[in-house]
Amino acid sequence: MPKKINIKGPIVSNDTAWIYNWFGWDAACPNDIRNGLEDAAGEDVVIEINSPGGVCVYGFEMYTALKEYEGNVTVHVISAMSAATLLVCAADEALISDTGMFMIHNAQSYAEGDYRDMQMEADALTEFNASIINAYVRKTGKTRDEIQALMDKELVDGDYVTATGIVYGKEIKNNKKNPSKSICVYGK
């Protein structure tokens, strides 16, 4: 049976995750992925995601850890938004709940200062977008322009991401009749 790693709540740094834990709040950090993968020791893993996203650089770190993992990585999406979608891009297989939500968007930040500071921030956001797009191009085979258009739309639902290949299908569990059986319905 594959090891399950839960990614719940916002994606935060390793250094701040303890604050969420102390308050009993959900949060996920790169060490959650690294420790889970280390415990799995090359065996297959299932990552269950229910996250509004968070800090992009920590999403990049989680993505990289999953891509480097030698075992099979399956992602079950309840809700993956923003930086959490990077983990879906890193998976060998990705399934979404029939009630699942999936949202990608352009990188965002806050800045203050004069016009030079604003231009520097705009340039940095463009670079972050380029890195995010790399993961989606690799996952889907779509062009950079196609992915940028999806990011500009900001909301992509579960049906759309299934139809475009970001996830492979919808996962439907029937716990009443057979708790161990999962049905995967591919495409629309």
Side-chain angles (χ1 to χ4, degrees):
M1 177 163 233
K3 174 166 177 48
K4 185 175 181 183
I5 302 171
N6 286 310
I7 300 299
K8 310 287 185 183
I11 293 176
V12 300
S13 73
N14 294 326
D15 295 334
T16 59
W18 73 270
I19 298 168
Y20 289 83
N21 294 333
W22 190 80
F23 280 107
W25 298 340
D26 288 337
C29 66
N31 279 345
D32 293 335
I33 291 289
R34 289 203 186 280
N35 293 339
L37 295 176
E38 186 176 298
D39 289 346
E43 297 295 320
D44 293 351
V45 295
V46 172
I47 313 283
E48 185 173 278
I49 302 174
N50 189 12
S51 173
V55 183
C56 197
V57 295
Y58 305 120
F60 291 158
E61 187 175 348
M62 296 164 107
Y63 169 91
T64 302
L66 291 172
K67 290 302 284 180
E68 291 174 346
Y69 186 64
E70 63 271 11
N72 187 61
V73 176
T74 300
V75 169
H76 293 177
V77 176
I78 297 169
S79 147
M81 300 181 188
S82 192
T85 65
L86 293 167
L87 283 66
V88 177
C89 291
D92 298 306
E93 180 179 30
L95 302 169
I96 190 165
S97 166
D98 57 345
T99 60
M101 290 299 298
F102 193 96
M103 188 266 291
I104 63 174
H105 62 88
N106 290 306
Q108 299 175 356
S109 70
Y110 298 94
E112 62 180 62
D114 65 19
Y115 71 96
R116 296 167 297 180
D117 298 313
M118 297 299 107
Q119 185 59 58
M120 186 169 38
E121 190 66 16
D123 292 343
L125 290 172
T126 300
E127 292 301 318
F128 271 93
N129 276 357
S131 292
I132 294 165
I133 289 169
N134 288 342
Y136 277 100
V137 166
R138 184 174 186 169
K139 179 70 173 181
T140 67
K142 295 195 172 303
T143 68
R144 298 184 77 74
D145 289 340
E146 288 173 311
I147 299 299
Q148 183 63 67
L150 290 174
M151 292 169 66
D152 289 344
K153 285 173 92 173
E154 289 201 6
L155 182 64
V156 180
D157 67 25
D159 288 334
Y160 188 82
V161 297
T162 302
T164 58
I166 295 171
V167 298
Y168 297 118
K170 295 200 171 191
E171 180 184 42
I172 303 163
K173 290 191 177 182
N174 189 346
N175 291 329
K176 291 182 181 174
K177 292 182 182 174
N178 185 348
S180 65
K181 184 173 183 176
S182 287
I183 301 168
C184 181
V185 180
Y186 289 91
K188 276 186 130 177

